[in-house]
Amino acid sequence: MNELAGKHIVLGLSGGVACYKSAELCRALIKEGATVQVVMTEAAAQFITPVTMQALSNRPVYGSQWDAREANNMPHINLSREADAVLIAPCSADFIARLAQGRADELLSLLCLARPAQQVPLLLAPAMNREMWAHPATQRNLAQVAQDSATVLAVGNGDQACGETGDGRMLEPAELLEEVIAFFTPKVLAGQKVLVTAGPTFEAIDPVRGITNHSSGKMGFAIARAAREAGAEVTLVAGPVHLSTPRGVQRINVQSAQNMLETVMHKAQAATVFIATAAVADWRPATQADQKIKKDGSGQTPVLGFVENPDILATVAQSQHALVGDLFCVGFAAESHDLLAHATAKRARKGVPLLVGNIGPATFGQDDNALLLVDAHGHRELPRASKRTLARQLVAEIAMRLPR
Ligand code: C5P
């Protein structure tokens, strides 16, 4: 999608086994449109060669503060002035200690110190053995570099190269890419607590059967991701879907409409924005059998009765929290025709300030969609695009409508 188009990133590698992931990370950054200048410490070059990193970044790698290729012989100044961000991945325990002390006796730490900190942010992707990670000295140094305005990314948990298991693994390249994209996203939802419902619900008939629908959850998951990137604290209440949770989002899995309602009512109390993208089943079986309903060979079919499910969106929109204006509610409408008329009517019926219409058959399971936004002032179309793009546009539209 070229989400990093126009960004120039200095990718710094310090020593650690995780250097093998930096090759993949370099490719991923470039694939998203960034230009990447690799700088390696001497220790990093023990783990992966500058040749590999040069080939992947299509630029000569820098490794020495005495590099005479620069006309003024000041690679630390030149490299740091042209960057939109410096990303150290992997960032070793030793390198964190060096940053905490402001040391400058090799190129990478020198350029970190010499960078104009207000304009060129520093992102660190730590990677080390779990004992090194947990050591008070490392934690003390991390707190110091964070206070000095570095952004310290999380570490993963799992098997380590040394054979031990625990915290300290560098995030995977795809996760780091998500973090870099999120870092550059304008924080239009900073301070907001966003609650999103997504996916279908599953209404059980008996322990092995139930009623559900074709909602994939993609739109809701994309919205949750975009809201988090925009700086919100995000809770995603998801029906049964097989999608991975966006980074930094709290996900709560539910099954039925009633489960979803209970979870949403609980979480809505602290939320400032509620976005209902879930395709909630309108009805559920009136009774749920405790045991599997058996076919008895007589040819007789079971008779199923139904009761209507609660309307989660309307219930939340009528809660005191929303009525006093502390919770901005956004509904969705999946229609097959006359989108504007139906979306306008639905907005009034649900009592929400913003209703987002889409054509159901054209969106279920697809990666792209088109949206029609209806509010008190009229309507606006967001033309066909990927759900990722639409989610980002919708987040911007919601941010514009929030009370200042
Ligand atoms: O009434 P309809 O199902 O068309 O309304 C769609 C909107 O209402 C969506 O935002 C959907 O998430 C929400 N909804 C709900 N609870 C229901 C039915 C729909 O929250 N029981």
Side-chain angles (χ1 to χ4, degrees):
M1 284 232 319
N2 270 354
E3 297 197 27
L4 294 174
K7 299 287 184 221
H8 182 64
I9 294 169
V10 167
L11 175 60
L13 277 64
S14 59
V17 181
C19 278
Y20 80 90
K21 296 185 190 174
S22 307
E24 189 73 42
L25 173 62
C26 179
R27 286 192 68 210
L29 293 168
I30 288 172
K31 230 171 145 184
E32 282 299 339
T35 49
V36 177
Q37 174 61 60
V38 177
V39 178
M40 295 170 69
T41 64
E42 217 180 297
Q46 295 286 329
F47 291 92
I48 187 169
T49 68
V51 174
T52 299
M53 297 309 293
Q54 174 170 354
L56 292 173
S57 64
N58 203 22
R59 284 166 178 254
V61 170
Y62 282 77
S64 163
Q65 71 271 45
W66 312 119
D67 196 320
R69 282 176 296 183
E70 295 294 300
N72 59 358
N73 215 314
M74 294 185 197
H76 62 298
I77 301 291
N78 306 344
L79 295 175
S80 63
R81 295 304 181 270
E82 62 192 22
D84 291 299
V86 176
L87 167 63
I88 312 290
C91 188
S92 66
D94 180 66
F95 199 78
I96 295 165
R98 300 169 62 74
L99 289 172
Q101 284 200 352
R103 300 188 69 109
D105 57 358
E106 54 79 41
L107 180 60
L108 193 54
S109 50
L110 173 60
L111 82 81
C112 288
L113 193 69
R115 81 188 204 287
Q118 300 301 320
Q119 290 112 57
V120 184
L122 176 62
L123 282 76
L124 310 178
M128 66 199 74
N129 163 270
R130 65 188 175 123
E131 298 291 356
M132 295 167 77
W133 173 255
H135 198 287
T138 302
Q139 293 302 317
R140 197 165 58 234
N141 290 334
L142 281 166
Q144 183 62 58
V145 295
Q147 200 187 322
D148 295 344
S149 85
T151 297
V152 181
L153 302 175
V155 288
N157 177 285
D159 294 341
Q160 304 199 311
C162 50
E164 298 178 2
T165 305
D167 286 336
R169 283 168 60 96
M170 187 168 84
L171 295 181
E172 298 304 318
E175 295 174 316
L176 287 173
L177 179 68
E178 262 194 55
E179 292 289 356
V180 172
I181 291 170
F183 181 82
F184 283 118
T185 306
K187 299 292 175 268
V188 294
L189 289 183
Q192 302 291 336
K193 292 193 170 150
V194 175
L195 178 62
V196 183
T197 64
T201 61
F202 181 89
E203 311 296 333
I205 295 172
D206 67 19
V208 295
R209 306 183 182 92
I211 294 169
T212 187
N213 61 64
H214 283 307
S215 167
S216 65
K218 286 179 183 172
M219 193 70 228
F221 274 59
I223 290 169
R225 178 179 172 189
R228 183 260 171 172
E229 287 174 338
E233 198 180 299
V234 181
T235 304
L236 173 61
V237 181
V241 291
H242 297 282
L243 293 175
S244 52
T245 311
R247 283 195 64 69
V249 167
Q250 189 205 2
R251 173 177 180 173
I252 303 172
N253 288 327
V254 296
Q255 292 279 322
S256 67
Q258 281 178 306
N259 298 153
M260 189 176 272
L261 176 70
E262 280 161 32
T263 308
V264 165
M265 290 313 282
H266 175 62
K267 290 286 169 187
Q269 289 164 19
T272 58
V273 179
F274 175 53
I275 309 171
T277 62
V280 182
D282 289 322
W283 308 282
R284 66 177 180 275
T287 55
Q288 185 183 331
D290 291 337
Q291 294 184 335
K292 184 182 173 188
I293 302 169
K294 301 293 282 179
K295 174 167 71 177
D296 63 9
S298 68
Q300 282 260 315
T301 54
V303 178
L304 293 177
F306 289 93
V307 290
E308 196 167 317
N309 268 328
D311 190 315
I312 301 169
L313 175 61
T315 309
V316 173
Q318 288 311 306
S319 69
Q320 192 57 16
H321 192 39
L323 290 174
V324 298
D326 290 343
L327 178 64
F328 186 86
C329 295
V330 183
F332 267 71
E335 306 293 345
S336 61
H337 60 286
D338 289 342
L339 191 53
L340 180 57
H342 284 118
T344 305
K346 194 159 288 183
R347 191 184 86 84
R349 186 153 39 82
K350 303 270 181 180
V352 295
L354 180 61
L355 201 292
V356 183
N358 55 179
I359 297 292
T363 174
F364 273 16
Q366 304 290 318
D367 287 325
D368 59 1
N369 194 6
L371 302 179
L372 180 71
L373 274 47
V374 181
D375 68 9
H377 306 290
H379 65 276
R380 174 160 186 219
E381 272 179 52
L382 300 183
R384 186 155 279 277
S386 68
K387 288 184 176 175
R388 167 96 178 116
T389 301
L390 290 170
R392 297 183 122 193
Q393 291 172 348
L394 181 60
V395 158
E397 293 281 344
I398 291 170
M400 276 178 351
R401 290 168 171 80
L402 294 179
R404 304 263 146 223

